[in-house]
Amino acid sequence: MPYHHLESTSQEHDLSTSITTTHQDPEKPTPTTLAQSLVETPAQRRAAVRAHILFGLGAILLVLLAWTLNKELRIIYVAALFAVVLMPVIESIRKIDVRGWRPSRPVAIVILIAGIALGMALFLTFALPPVMRDLREFLTDLPQRVPEAVAKIKHIPMADKLGVDDLAAKAENAATAIGGYVFSALPKWLAHILDVLTAVFLCIYFMIEGDDAYEFLLSLFKPASRMRLDATLQKAELKMSKWLLGQGLLMLSIGVCSTIVFGILHVRYFVLLGVLMGLLNIIPIAGGVITIVLVAGVAALDSWPKMFGVLIFYLIYVNFENAFLTPRIMKSSVDLMGLTVLVALMIGTALAGIVGALVAVPTAALISVLLDEYAVQRTDGEDPPPILLSSESKP
């Protein structure tokens, strides 16, 4: 082979090598660099340990802070929950068109508060006087009614083994103890009233500035997760707002029916007891049971037929409500199983008493929507339930 041919071949090989070296990506890690980057240095290990320790301490401090401020956090949660529930009402008021003028959100809130105040004024003017009259009569007749009730109970077989002879004395002692408790517990009741007023003002502020707080909450998540969380929370908002409407209709229904039936049966204090039946029905299951026990006891002071009439009415109404009213009013909105409602009531009552029972069902609705979206494992090819978006209102 000629010498000049070998020389040209060598030059071409050097040129191709130089071109390959020139066009190599300097940012692409070589196998040696990649292996070195996977090995943590002692400084990196110490930094990771410090980060884990700081995270653990921060989590402990947050738990302790939440435990210390549990009462305040409950008030904030209840206020935020009712703000979410009432927002559809505010948006409906804002749709009112009076010659081209539509109320802003603060004006709509003022209209809502004025409507509630007007309703309370009408109640105090027309419904409260007979309720107070029945309550005074009940407290006046109670000492005389207890011996009559004891005499009736004595006719029941085996009643002498129940210690009914001491029932009147126990009732008098209980009345005295109740009077002393009311007087001593007055500061606590004033504190509870202050908590209610605080929750009301917080609810108003949440309704006014809720959009800003909601946007800040969503900004804490990545854009992809933010859109999913936004749709899920709007679905939960729709469920909770429907719960308020459905619960209000159920309260009105049982209150009106109870007042009419108690009046027909000539049950004493029927206006008071009918109002209590409607108001306490806001606490599912437990509210109705407590009230009907009270009504049956009052009816038993007059006669056993009245008591049985009250119990028969309640059994008929409960079956009618569960079979007809609840499926049509509540099932389509909240869509919770009876077992879920019971468990929610137990947990809510254990955590926050009456307030916990009051917000147990809407909280369960919120948790069910979150679990359905983020925790339920679906099979391949199964579509998730449709998410209803609400572009007009946000929590």
Side-chain angles (χ1 to χ4, degrees), residues 280-296:
L280 291 183
N281 195 51
I282 194 173
I283 305 175
I285 302 175
V289 172
I290 293 172
T291 314
I292 198 59
V293 169
L294 176 62
V295 176

Side-chain angles (χ1 to χ4, degrees), residues 364-378:
L366 171 62
I367 294 176
S368 68
V369 173
L370 294 176
L371 290 178
D372 183 72
E373 179 65 25
Y374 292 99
V376 173
Q377 302 295 324
R378 297 183 176 86

Side-chain angles (χ1 to χ4, degrees), residues 314-369:
Y314 184 71
L315 291 176
I316 293 174
Y317 182 85
V318 166
N319 284 277
F320 173 74
E321 183 181 77
N322 293 334
F324 183 79
L325 294 180
T326 301
R328 286 162 176 76
I329 295 177
M330 298 292 288
K331 187 69 176 177
S332 60
S333 56
V334 181
D335 195 18
L336 293 177
M337 297 182 297
L339 178 62
T340 304
V341 174
L342 288 174
V343 172
L345 286 172
M346 292 174 58
I347 297 175
T349 305
L351 291 178
I354 297 177
V355 177
L358 181 63
V359 300
V361 175
T363 302
L366 171 62
I367 294 176
S368 68
V369 173

Side-chain angles (χ1 to χ4, degrees), residues 139 142 170-185 189:
L139 295 177
L142 184 61
K170 292 180 180 179
E172 293 179 0
N173 296 333
T176 304
I178 291 174
Y181 169 76
V182 171
F183 181 77
S184 62
W189 285 104

